[in-house]
Amino acid sequence: YGLDGRLPAGALVLGANGLLLAGAIFFYFGSLAYYGQRLPWVRQLLLGLATLGALAWFFWVWPDYRLRVAMFTTALASAVLVHAHLLWRRGRGFAAGFTLAVLLVQGLVLLARAMGTFWVDGAVTPRFAATPLQTLYLATFSFSLTLVCIGVLLMASEQLRSRFEQLATRDTLTGVL
């Protein structure tokens, strides 16, 4: 937001949205690594490149703010909801459940933003229009990022506590109580 007017609009659209999507994907990769899962680099790279290509198309070739919002928030929601699915399958304990709940709310707000753009926005709506749906989207996204970070810290804390309990009750060499 601070660079609006200082950098070309296309660079802001591709750069900021690319960073948001990359952050969601890398966060998902962190959870995959946490659970010892394989990282799907190719699939996520293709999702990112296809999303950036569509953003560029709907910015320069066929300018339509609504299609950019719908396409980008759907792509971001898919990254968030795939992450939530991982926590649903693999997560245990309060921290994973808390993080899952935050990701689900975030994903639902992203999908609501994607669908709502066709009723709220116009094809040439400015990027920083203060519509109620845009305000809800930005506020939810900001708060959910903070809450997800807290959830991840709680997950790491639970894992560390579990490891300390194991070290306190079992001999590391033999595994005997």
Side-chain angles (χ1 to χ4, degrees), residues 11 57 105 163 174:
W57 178 268
V105 169
R163 179 71 179 129
T174 63

Side-chain angles (χ1 to χ4, degrees), residues 5-88:
R6 295 187 178 147
L7 291 177
L12 287 175
V13 166
L14 293 178
N17 290 322
L19 288 172
L20 277 174
L21 188 57
I25 291 169
F26 284 133
F27 178 46
Y28 171 58
F29 282 178
S31 291
L32 284 170
Y34 177 81
Y35 290 118
Q37 302 290 300
R38 184 181 63 79
L39 304 180
W41 287 99
V42 173
R43 181 178 38 172
Q44 296 300 324
L45 180 63
L46 291 175
L47 169 70
L49 291 175
T51 302
L52 290 178
L55 281 175
W57 178 268
F58 292 122
F59 187 80
W60 284 296
V61 179
W62 184 7
D64 192 326
Y65 177 75
R66 295 171 302 185
L67 293 175
R68 282 198 326 263
V69 168
M71 185 275 318
F72 177 73
T73 54
T74 300
L76 193 57
S78 71
V80 167
L81 293 173
V82 163
H83 193 168
H85 184 256
L86 171 71
L87 291 177
W88 176 263

Side-chain angles (χ1 to χ4, degrees), residues 45 103 118:
L45 180 63
L103 287 172
F118 295 105

